[in-house]
Amino acid sequence: EVDLVESGGGSVQPGRSLRLSCVTSGFTFGDYAINWVRQAPGKGLEWVGFIRSKAHGGTAEYAASLKGRFTILREDSRRTAYLQMNGLKIEDAGVYYCTRDERFFNLLTRSEYYVTDVWGHGTTVTVSS
Amino acid sequence: QAVVTQDSSVTVSPGGTVTLTCGSSTGAVTIEHYPHWSQQKPGQAPKTLIYHTASKHSWTPDRFSGSLLGGKAALTLSGAQPDDEADYYCLLSYGDTRVFGGGTKLTVL
């Protein structure tokens, strides 16, 4: 069974750093991209970013508002993806989810696209002084 | 950054049909925005029901379908059940980045 389990959430002061983990099982981790989504308390979903599989470069893309503070990494040997969050702000508080994304290639437009299927359970980040 | 718009709330009667829509500030939504629709019930993680405009995952109930309608992505629920009461989020891709809509709260009443 495919499963993704986030961890590393907790309470942190503004300006500090936190690293979230997304530990996976039930599938060949190296074949997939991993995506991060967050949800502030009582609010909607916000796309954070994703990291490609190593076969497709292993590079990451981010929401413009978060670029520079957040970094997504992956460690295929541990079947784990990470979200490194630096300079945390009050507005970064919320539940953070990782998802499994499968890559496809559009032959007409010569561009890649991703399909999200399974979501993790989420981990909660609190930012407070 | 593009803004993705959804109706904030919609009500449907049990057994009824309802269509939720998802628009883009950049213009018409096309298949190359690869629209996804996800369902989130209170206290639960979201679950993706529809991807690439109209494709369903194995767990997606048949009563849900996706399409493009009038320049927007659309999620149609035919034969609404009380268990379908949830928040529904649209996700559009813009090249390497993605943007969620604000979500639609669906009430089955």
Side-chain angles (χ1 to χ4, degrees):
Chain A
E1 181 192 359
V2 173
D3 200 14
L4 297 87
V5 179
E6 303 89 339
S7 62
S11 185
V12 64
Q13 292 178 324
R16 304 300 290 261
S17 298
L18 204 59
R19 173 177 282 206
L20 307 182
S21 299
C22 171
V23 178
T24 71
S25 59
F27 64 99
T28 303
F29 180 79
D31 288 348
Y32 290 85
I34 298 295
N35 188 47
W36 286 91
V37 175
R38 69 180 183 178
Q39 186 169 35
K43 302 295 184 183
L45 302 177
E46 181 184 7
W47 183 73
V48 172
F50 81 102
I51 187 164
R52 297 176 177 85
S53 68
K54 284 197 164 42
H56 296 110
T59 52
E61 308 291 344
Y62 302 93
S65 61
L66 301 175
K67 202 179 294 187
R69 290 196 302 124
F70 285 20
T71 303
I72 300 173
L73 306 160
R74 63 186 298 148
E75 191 171 0
D76 287 11
S77 63
R78 294 183 182 271
R79 311 173 56 84
T80 301
Y82 304 96
L83 178 62
Q84 175 69 42
M85 305 184 292
N86 297 330
L88 282 163
K89 305 176 181 181
I90 300 285
E91 55 265 36
D92 293 321
V95 179
Y96 284 72
Y97 299 98
C98 60
T99 77
R100 185 180 78 162
D101 279 25
E102 185 173 3
R103 181 185 185 271
F104 292 86
F105 192 76
N106 186 325
L107 292 172
L108 280 175
T109 62
R110 311 290 301 164
S111 62
E112 64 178 7
Y113 66 96
Y114 287 85
V115 170
T116 294
D117 54 10
V118 183
W119 290 67
H121 309 275
T123 187
T124 300
V125 173
T126 303
V127 184
S128 165
S129 54
Chain B
Q1 176 171 290
V3 175
V4 176
T5 55
Q6 298 183 244
D7 291 331
S8 59
S9 64
V10 172
T11 299
V12 62
S13 300
T17 295
V18 64
T19 297
L20 311 184
T21 62
C22 169
S24 172
S25 63
T26 61
V29 176
T30 72
I31 59 172
E32 286 164 14
H33 287 99
Y34 306 107
H36 281 63
W37 289 93
S38 296
Q39 176 194 63
Q40 187 180 33
K41 297 180 181 178
Q44 296 184 18
K47 182 187 298 186
T48 299
L49 300 178
I50 299 289
Y51 62 94
H52 199 182
T53 304
S55 297
K56 300 181 186 183
H57 287 302
S58 58
W59 51 81
T60 304
D62 289 343
R63 60 185 180 275
F64 289 94
S65 62
S67 64
L68 295 178
L69 200 62
K72 296 183 177 183
L75 176 70
T76 299
L77 171 58
S78 303
Q81 298 183 5
D83 188 53
D84 298 327
E85 191 162 287
D87 294 326
Y88 291 84
Y89 293 94
C90 158
L91 174 72
L92 300 181
S93 293
Y94 297 87
D96 289 334
T97 63
R98 310 176 201 180
V99 181
F100 277 101
T104 297
K105 182 177 183 59
L106 179 67
T107 300
V108 181
L109 188 62

